[in-house]
Amino acid sequence: MNALFAYLHAQGGELLARTYEHLSLTMVALGVALAIGLPLGLWLTRTPRVSGFVLGAVSVLQTIPSLALLGILIPFTGIGRLPATIALLLYALLPIVRNTVVGIAGVDPAVREAAVGMGMKDTQILRRVELPLALPIIFAGVRTATVVSVGVATLAALVGAGGLGVYIFRGISLADTSLVLAGAIPAALLALVLDAALGAVEKRLDRLFRPALVLMVALVALSALRGLTGSTSHVLRIAMPGEFIERKDGYPGLASRYALAADVIEMDHGLMYQALAENRVDAVVGYSTDGEIARFKLRVLDDDRKYFPPYWAAPLVRKKSLERHPELASIFDKLSGRIDAASMSSMNARVEHDHESPAAVAESFLRGVGMTPARHRRADPADVVIGSKIFGEQYVLAEMLADLVETYTPLTVKLATGLGGTKICFEALRRGDIDVYPEYTGTGLFAILGGPGNAPVVVGDARSVYDHVKREFDARYGLEWLSPLGFENKYALITRADTAARRGTTVSSFIDPSRAR
């Protein structure tokens, strides 16, 4: 908890800004959902023939996974607040529409008959009789929609819309509980505060409903005005995963090394490439072997000031596992130097975009370099457990390591893939939950060791970094770095080919095209 309080104290200003973003997104989406859902619900009470169909359609919208919905919206809306707002209002519609229909339908028929007997028209019955009686149920739907919206709004961070989800996704990437709680606790408190405020309004609906409605409309208007009056000056828009912002070899150092002032947009890895291909951002920070580079014909900018450290890929193994099965070292070394960056990028594209299975891609590569993988002997429990992080390249490499074990030993294998970020895999390895997983030397240096410290290691020299992490992991953790696989998967600034041709092919010239002249 001390780490959490220290982080909140250091990031107090940003936390308030993120909380405002979160509240603004929620209230705007809720306001639009009310403007659509309430009239729609009232209309359905007068057209029962279509009521079931419309409610079913609105219900189906809630079954679409949030991230998938955001991905569907981006080609039409771009990134930022608009797709997040649309997604939130779609999720808020169901409780508002359904409770409106249920509330009106629950009015006692005898009351309606009495109103008709008094000579009231249908619109008068609705306004003076049904709505006042149904208002508590309708308002309960609004409260439900509000709480749901606060929770779903955390996903807005994945499309560059900000909010408290920024901290949550950074924390998940880095397996940092303090970061996760820095986003989760304020989001939960915000949901509770809004629910309590709406509960107070509900108790005094006659007096407070209209002021609350006016306040909500004002928030919607202010948010729209903010979007319309934003700066029109061109600043480089660079999308990047939240993990890169928090890393010691991440954005702050990059900005300092290259005197870079950019509009930084935190986004999900896959969505940021989609935004780049559709010209929604100028560049992304990705990995040099990402499959999207080949698929979209993108350009990796030359790191002319040598900021990004080397990221040799290599198997990271528990020494206790090597003591039990010493043959593993020589078997995994059969891949030493066999995979170049172009081959890895092509394999990543096949998995991520051509939807081939990692197992098929791994087997195809091994056959291409003269190996004939044996039939799988997967078991649980198994002699060797091979882990991976949660992206395509790691799945392919884990399958290759498993194929080698099954081909050259009688040992059984279990795959524990998709374990999440670096620290999750690393801690699983230390605990003995897995025996080996593919790792990168730059990640080992910065994300795990915390940087070179006072050690005489040249960060720009790949061999120096490898020797350093090999020595330190052995001494500190009892883990062994085996021979590098041949390719380097380091962070890189990536842009479209046409943008690189216009601005320059180095990071320096891209940031300031005048430097290329």
Side-chain angles (χ1 to χ4, degrees), residues 379-402:
D380 186 12
D383 299 313
V384 180
V385 181
I386 299 173
S388 85
K389 302 178 191 179
I390 191 167
F391 57 94
E393 178 171 298
Q394 288 269 312
Y395 294 143
V396 173
L397 294 176
E399 290 283 355
M400 286 188 192
L401 298 179

mmCIF file of all heavy atoms in Angstrom, residues 379-402:
data_model
loop_
_atom_site.group_PDB
_atom_site.id
_atom_site.type_symbol
_atom_site.label_atom_id
_atom_site.label_comp_id
_atom_site.label_asym_id
_atom_site.label_seq_id
_atom_site.Cartn_x
_atom_site.Cartn_y
_atom_site.Cartn_z
ATOM 1 N N ALA A 379 1.004 -33.061 -22.243
ATOM 2 C CA ALA A 379 0.434 -33.725 -21.067
ATOM 3 C C ALA A 379 0.305 -32.718 -19.930
ATOM 4 O O ALA A 379 0.907 -31.643 -19.949
ATOM 5 C CB ALA A 379 1.328 -34.890 -20.632
ATOM 6 N N ASP A 380 -0.506 -33.089 -18.942
ATOM 7 C CA ASP A 380 -0.671 -32.265 -17.754
ATOM 8 C C ASP A 380 -0.951 -33.188 -16.566
ATOM 9 O O ASP A 380 -2.031 -33.793 -16.501
ATOM 10 C CB ASP A 380 -1.821 -31.285 -17.948
ATOM 11 C CG ASP A 380 -1.953 -30.301 -16.782
ATOM 12 O OD1 ASP A 380 -1.007 -30.256 -15.965
ATOM 13 O OD2 ASP A 380 -2.978 -29.593 -16.706
ATOM 14 N N PRO A 381 -0.021 -33.357 -15.654
ATOM 15 C CA PRO A 381 1.282 -32.680 -15.585
ATOM 16 C C PRO A 381 2.257 -33.217 -16.635
ATOM 17 O O PRO A 381 2.040 -34.282 -17.210
ATOM 18 C CB PRO A 381 1.753 -33.008 -14.166
ATOM 19 C CG PRO A 381 1.085 -34.306 -13.854
ATOM 20 C CD PRO A 381 -0.254 -34.260 -14.527
ATOM 21 N N ALA A 382 3.338 -32.449 -16.861
ATOM 22 C CA ALA A 382 4.318 -32.803 -17.881
ATOM 23 C C ALA A 382 5.726 -32.675 -17.317
ATOM 24 O O ALA A 382 5.941 -32.089 -16.249
ATOM 25 C CB ALA A 382 4.148 -31.903 -19.101
ATOM 26 N N ASP A 383 6.681 -33.222 -18.075
ATOM 27 C CA ASP A 383 8.086 -33.136 -17.654
ATOM 28 C C ASP A 383 8.620 -31.709 -17.787
ATOM 29 O O ASP A 383 9.423 -31.258 -16.968
ATOM 30 C CB ASP A 383 8.952 -34.079 -18.503
ATOM 31 C CG ASP A 383 8.531 -35.528 -18.357
ATOM 32 O OD1 ASP A 383 8.346 -35.972 -17.207
ATOM 33 O OD2 ASP A 383 8.371 -36.211 -19.390
ATOM 34 N N VAL A 384 8.196 -31.026 -18.834
ATOM 35 C CA VAL A 384 8.685 -29.674 -19.104
ATOM 36 C C VAL A 384 7.494 -28.769 -19.386
ATOM 37 O O VAL A 384 6.654 -29.093 -20.226
ATOM 38 C CB VAL A 384 9.644 -29.651 -20.319
ATOM 39 C CG1 VAL A 384 10.131 -28.234 -20.588
ATOM 40 C CG2 VAL A 384 10.824 -30.592 -20.097
ATOM 41 N N VAL A 385 7.431 -27.644 -18.673
ATOM 42 C CA VAL A 385 6.363 -26.659 -18.894
ATOM 43 C C VAL A 385 6.973 -25.428 -19.559
ATOM 44 O O VAL A 385 7.909 -24.820 -19.021
ATOM 45 C CB VAL A 385 5.677 -26.259 -17.573
ATOM 46 C CG1 VAL A 385 4.555 -25.247 -17.845
ATOM 47 C CG2 VAL A 385 5.134 -27.485 -16.862
ATOM 48 N N ILE A 386 6.448 -25.082 -20.720
ATOM 49 C CA ILE A 386 6.976 -23.959 -21.500
ATOM 50 C C ILE A 386 5.950 -22.833 -21.492
ATOM 51 O O ILE A 386 4.792 -23.036 -21.854
ATOM 52 C CB ILE A 386 7.276 -24.391 -22.946
ATOM 53 C CG1 ILE A 386 8.343 -25.497 -22.938
ATOM 54 C CG2 ILE A 386 7.742 -23.205 -23.796
ATOM 55 C CD1 ILE A 386 8.604 -26.116 -24.289
ATOM 56 N N GLY A 387 6.370 -21.649 -21.070
ATOM 57 C CA GLY A 387 5.464 -20.513 -20.969
ATOM 58 C C GLY A 387 5.681 -19.514 -22.085
ATOM 59 O O GLY A 387 6.605 -19.627 -22.901
ATOM 60 N N SER A 388 4.807 -18.516 -22.117
ATOM 61 C CA SER A 388 4.969 -17.413 -23.068
ATOM 62 C C SER A 388 4.136 -16.243 -22.607
ATOM 63 O O SER A 388 3.197 -16.392 -21.823
ATOM 64 C CB SER A 388 4.543 -17.828 -24.479
ATOM 65 O OG SER A 388 3.146 -17.673 -24.659
ATOM 66 N N LYS A 389 4.480 -15.075 -23.132
ATOM 67 C CA LYS A 389 3.655 -13.885 -22.911
ATOM 68 C C LYS A 389 2.458 -13.945 -23.850
ATOM 69 O O LYS A 389 2.280 -14.914 -24.594
ATOM 70 C CB LYS A 389 4.493 -12.619 -23.132
ATOM 71 C CG LYS A 389 5.725 -12.544 -22.232
ATOM 72 C CD LYS A 389 6.551 -11.303 -22.515
ATOM 73 C CE LYS A 389 7.896 -11.373 -21.821
ATOM 74 N NZ LYS A 389 8.748 -10.197 -22.099
ATOM 75 N N ILE A 390 1.690 -12.848 -23.858
ATOM 76 C CA ILE A 390 0.389 -12.914 -24.519
ATOM 77 C C ILE A 390 0.405 -12.189 -25.867
ATOM 78 O O ILE A 390 -0.382 -11.286 -26.105
ATOM 79 C CB ILE A 390 -0.711 -12.379 -23.578
ATOM 80 C CG1 ILE A 390 -2.106 -12.669 -24.121
ATOM 81 C CG2 ILE A 390 -0.513 -10.903 -23.269
ATOM 82 C CD1 ILE A 390 -3.221 -12.463 -23.127
ATOM 83 N N PHE A 391 1.326 -12.565 -26.757
ATOM 84 C CA PHE A 391 1.263 -12.070 -28.125
ATOM 85 C C PHE A 391 1.822 -13.128 -29.068
ATOM 86 O O PHE A 391 2.512 -14.057 -28.650
ATOM 87 C CB PHE A 391 1.951 -10.703 -28.289
ATOM 88 C CG PHE A 391 3.402 -10.654 -27.873
ATOM 89 C CD1 PHE A 391 4.414 -10.852 -28.791
ATOM 90 C CD2 PHE A 391 3.747 -10.365 -26.556
ATOM 91 C CE1 PHE A 391 5.752 -10.769 -28.416
ATOM 92 C CE2 PHE A 391 5.075 -10.288 -26.163
ATOM 93 C CZ PHE A 391 6.081 -10.489 -27.105
ATOM 94 N N GLY A 392 1.499 -12.975 -30.359
ATOM 95 C CA GLY A 392 1.727 -14.032 -31.345
ATOM 96 C C GLY A 392 3.133 -14.560 -31.414
ATOM 97 O O GLY A 392 3.361 -15.771 -31.528
ATOM 98 N N GLU A 393 4.119 -13.661 -31.398
ATOM 99 C CA GLU A 393 5.513 -14.096 -31.500
ATOM 100 C C GLU A 393 5.882 -15.069 -30.386
ATOM 101 O O GLU A 393 6.562 -16.078 -30.624
ATOM 102 C CB GLU A 393 6.428 -12.876 -31.451
ATOM 103 C CG GLU A 393 7.916 -13.201 -31.498
ATOM 104 C CD GLU A 393 8.750 -11.947 -31.670
ATOM 105 O OE1 GLU A 393 8.582 -11.284 -32.707
ATOM 106 O OE2 GLU A 393 9.551 -11.622 -30.768
ATOM 107 N N GLN A 394 5.437 -14.770 -29.186
ATOM 108 C CA GLN A 394 5.744 -15.646 -28.056
ATOM 109 C C GLN A 394 5.073 -17.008 -28.210
ATOM 110 O O GLN A 394 5.662 -18.031 -27.869
ATOM 111 C CB GLN A 394 5.291 -14.967 -26.766
ATOM 112 C CG GLN A 394 6.149 -13.800 -26.353
ATOM 113 C CD GLN A 394 7.272 -14.219 -25.426
ATOM 114 O OE1 GLN A 394 7.061 -14.936 -24.447
ATOM 115 N NE2 GLN A 394 8.488 -13.783 -25.730
ATOM 116 N N TYR A 395 3.855 -17.025 -28.743
ATOM 117 C CA TYR A 395 3.184 -18.300 -28.971
ATOM 118 C C TYR A 395 3.979 -19.159 -29.960
ATOM 119 O O TYR A 395 4.145 -20.366 -29.759
ATOM 120 C CB TYR A 395 1.772 -18.075 -29.530
ATOM 121 C CG TYR A 395 0.817 -17.396 -28.591
ATOM 122 C CD1 TYR A 395 -0.112 -16.482 -29.069
ATOM 123 C CD2 TYR A 395 0.824 -17.662 -27.231
ATOM 124 C CE1 TYR A 395 -1.013 -15.856 -28.219
ATOM 125 C CE2 TYR A 395 -0.064 -17.039 -26.377
ATOM 126 C CZ TYR A 395 -0.981 -16.144 -26.864
ATOM 127 O OH TYR A 395 -1.854 -15.531 -26.019
ATOM 128 N N VAL A 396 4.457 -18.537 -31.026
ATOM 129 C CA VAL A 396 5.217 -19.275 -32.040
ATOM 130 C C VAL A 396 6.511 -19.819 -31.449
ATOM 131 O O VAL A 396 6.862 -20.995 -31.646
ATOM 132 C CB VAL A 396 5.514 -18.372 -33.261
ATOM 133 C CG1 VAL A 396 6.456 -19.086 -34.230
ATOM 134 C CG2 VAL A 396 4.225 -17.985 -33.969
ATOM 135 N N LEU A 397 7.235 -18.985 -30.719
ATOM 136 C CA LEU A 397 8.504 -19.424 -30.136
ATOM 137 C C LEU A 397 8.283 -20.537 -29.107
ATOM 138 O O LEU A 397 9.067 -21.494 -29.035
ATOM 139 C CB LEU A 397 9.217 -18.238 -29.481
ATOM 140 C CG LEU A 397 9.699 -17.141 -30.444
ATOM 141 C CD1 LEU A 397 10.312 -15.982 -29.658
ATOM 142 C CD2 LEU A 397 10.716 -17.691 -31.452
ATOM 143 N N ALA A 398 7.202 -20.416 -28.313
ATOM 144 C CA ALA A 398 6.914 -21.472 -27.343
ATOM 145 C C ALA A 398 6.627 -22.791 -28.046
ATOM 146 O O ALA A 398 7.070 -23.866 -27.602
ATOM 147 C CB ALA A 398 5.723 -21.069 -26.470
ATOM 148 N N GLU A 399 5.900 -22.744 -29.159
ATOM 149 C CA GLU A 399 5.621 -23.960 -29.932
ATOM 150 C C GLU A 399 6.910 -24.558 -30.492
ATOM 151 O O GLU A 399 7.079 -25.788 -30.505
ATOM 152 C CB GLU A 399 4.647 -23.655 -31.072
ATOM 153 C CG GLU A 399 3.228 -23.340 -30.635
ATOM 154 C CD GLU A 399 2.439 -24.580 -30.244
ATOM 155 O OE1 GLU A 399 2.974 -25.710 -30.402
ATOM 156 O OE2 GLU A 399 1.289 -24.429 -29.790
ATOM 157 N N MET A 400 7.831 -23.719 -30.944
ATOM 158 C CA MET A 400 9.109 -24.222 -31.452
ATOM 159 C C MET A 400 9.893 -24.941 -30.361
ATOM 160 O O MET A 400 10.443 -26.032 -30.579
ATOM 161 C CB MET A 400 9.949 -23.067 -32.006
ATOM 162 C CG MET A 400 9.501 -22.520 -33.334
ATOM 163 S SD MET A 400 10.721 -21.337 -33.946
ATOM 164 C CE MET A 400 9.786 -20.610 -35.302
ATOM 165 N N LEU A 401 9.952 -24.315 -29.177
ATOM 166 C CA LEU A 401 10.675 -24.952 -28.071
ATOM 167 C C LEU A 401 10.036 -26.282 -27.698
ATOM 168 O O LEU A 401 10.726 -27.272 -27.416
ATOM 169 C CB LEU A 401 10.708 -24.013 -26.864
ATOM 170 C CG LEU A 401 11.438 -22.669 -27.050
ATOM 171 C CD1 LEU A 401 11.354 -21.842 -25.767
ATOM 172 C CD2 LEU A 401 12.885 -22.876 -27.458
ATOM 173 N N ALA A 402 8.694 -26.323 -27.704
ATOM 174 C CA ALA A 402 7.996 -27.571 -27.393
ATOM 175 C C ALA A 402 8.287 -28.632 -28.449
ATOM 176 O O ALA A 402 8.520 -29.806 -28.125
ATOM 177 C CB ALA A 402 6.489 -27.311 -27.301
#
